[in-house]
Amino acid sequence: MSAPALEFDAPLGACPLCASRDIRDFDHDYRGVHIFKCRTCGVRFMNPQYTDAYLAAYYSDYIAATPGSPERRAFRLAQKTANIELLERYIAPGRLLSVGCGDGVELSVAKSRGWAVEGYDVDAATTQRVAQAVGVTVHTGDLFALPLERDSYDCVYLDQVLEHPKNPAQYLELGRRLLRSGGLLYLGVPNIESMAARAKSVLGRLGLSRRRGRFYDSFHHLFYYSPATLPALLERRYGFRVVTVLGDPKPRANPTVATRAWDRVVRHAPWLDSTFVILARPSS
């Protein structure tokens, strides 16, 4: 898939997540995309950010991309199953809204386990296909204008979503409004402070990488979180109480004793992992 020509908005003067104006140019990648860091909350973000037209063109190709191999699809099914199993350690199946549900794998898994599920995604043709295949409601259009009932969901599920939109604060605020008391926000995001990302950052700054900053995935990732930054934001600014922060489950077809042991370490040391999961409840 070839990306469209880069087009940017005017530079941001404040952090989109905490509104602090104490932001600074932190890094850049091999394409000249600049990554800023908020010195108040610690979150990194692309600045300037892409225009809506660029993102629409990019995601029109992204969504239409050919599905992965059978092995890749089997891995995704196993991983989504592990995600829902993790969720069920903290809450019984109830009403779940998956924002950014894509091809609907988590909808199918959750439904099979007794959840009453709904989904949301941006592409109307894809959402119609998924709704028919899974037999559930899948919303599209303007997420923030949908007639979704306040305090009515047991889980708002965003897996590998919050790094993509230009307005992640609105997604967190929406999740807070939609959750019942005792409900759970499920967030899965890449970890910009993982061991691998730190090593690649050092190599890039030393001029030892031909594609400096490639790990930012700045073709479509606009925000960059870590286990030290996002949980604190949820509690201090968005009205959540963090229940747990874990490394993202990564099912293996034929795990050895060594890989099982390593997976257990990474699961409980999320700062090591390339992606991490947060479960959080409304704080009041």
Side-chain angles (χ1 to χ4, degrees):
M1 179 184 67
S2 60
L6 303 186
E7 298 176 358
F8 296 94
D9 289 336
L12 296 166
C15 173
L17 278 153
C18 78
S20 172
R21 301 191 71 82
D22 190 6
I23 61 175
R24 65 182 175 93
D25 198 344
F26 177 81
D27 201 357
H28 64 271
D29 71 8
Y30 68 99
R31 301 185 306 145
V33 171
H34 283 261
I35 309 299
F36 273 54
K37 183 175 182 178
C38 176
R39 299 178 72 177
T40 300
C41 72
V43 168
R44 298 183 215 174
F45 55 95
M46 183 189 299
N47 192 24
Q49 298 194 334
Y50 296 129
T51 63
D52 292 339
Y54 168 88
L55 291 172
Y58 181 91
Y59 282 113
S60 66
D61 288 340
Y62 183 85
I63 292 171
T66 303
S69 66
E71 293 78 14
R72 174 61 182 164
R73 291 196 295 271
F75 172 82
R76 291 193 66 246
L77 176 61
Q79 187 168 39
K80 295 296 186 180
T81 300
N83 291 350
I84 300 300
E85 288 175 344
L86 170 62
L87 182 61
E88 290 171 357
R89 295 182 194 174
Y90 297 88
I91 193 169
R95 192 177 181 198
L96 179 147
L97 174 67
S98 174
V99 177
C101 63
D103 59 5
V105 174
E106 66 259 28
L107 298 178
S108 180
V109 169
K111 181 182 177 184
S112 73
R113 299 176 67 89
W115 290 83
V117 299
E118 298 171 45
Y120 168 83
D121 220 308
V122 296
D123 183 69
T126 300
T127 56
Q128 183 178 14
R129 249 189 343 265
V130 170
Q132 291 175 346
V134 183
V136 300
T137 297
V138 184
H139 306 279
T140 192
D142 183 351
L143 173 63
F144 306 103
L146 294 175
L148 302 174
E149 186 181 353
R150 189 183 186 104
D151 303 326
S152 61
Y153 291 90
D154 297 285
C155 177
V156 175
Y157 180 99
L158 297 98
D159 188 28
Q160 309 305 307
V161 171
L162 205 64
E163 64 273 22
H164 294 273
K166 295 163 75 171
N167 56 338
Q170 284 186 272
Y171 285 73
L172 296 177
E173 291 162 353
L174 178 67
R176 179 65 183 81
R177 289 197 303 273
L178 295 180
L179 281 170
R180 293 182 175 126
S181 176
L184 280 174
L185 177 71
Y186 183 109
L187 293 176
V189 291
N191 179 11
I192 199 60
E193 293 287 351
S194 69
M195 288 193 304
R198 285 173 180 264
K200 292 172 184 176
S201 178
V202 169
L203 291 174
R205 291 174 183 274
L206 292 175
L208 300 176
S209 172
R210 289 189 304 163
R211 293 192 170 188
R212 173 175 174 164
R214 187 179 182 185
F215 61 92
Y216 285 111
D217 286 333
S218 67
F219 287 101
H220 61 150
H221 288 185
L222 308 185
F223 287 84
Y224 310 98
Y225 309 101
S226 77
T229 58
L230 189 52
L233 262 172
L234 290 173
E235 295 198 333
R236 293 173 187 170
R237 189 172 181 89
Y238 292 99
F240 288 97
R241 175 177 58 83
V242 172
V243 175
T244 191
V245 184
L246 296 169
D248 204 9
K250 294 177 175 60
R252 299 177 187 266
N254 297 294
T256 64
V257 172
T259 57
R260 284 197 191 97
W262 175 246
D263 288 346
R264 283 195 297 272
V265 169
V266 170
R267 188 64 184 268
H268 296 285
W271 54 90
L272 298 174
D273 204 356
S274 59
T275 57
F276 66 100
V277 170
I278 300 171
L279 297 180
R281 299 189 192 276
S283 55
S284 60

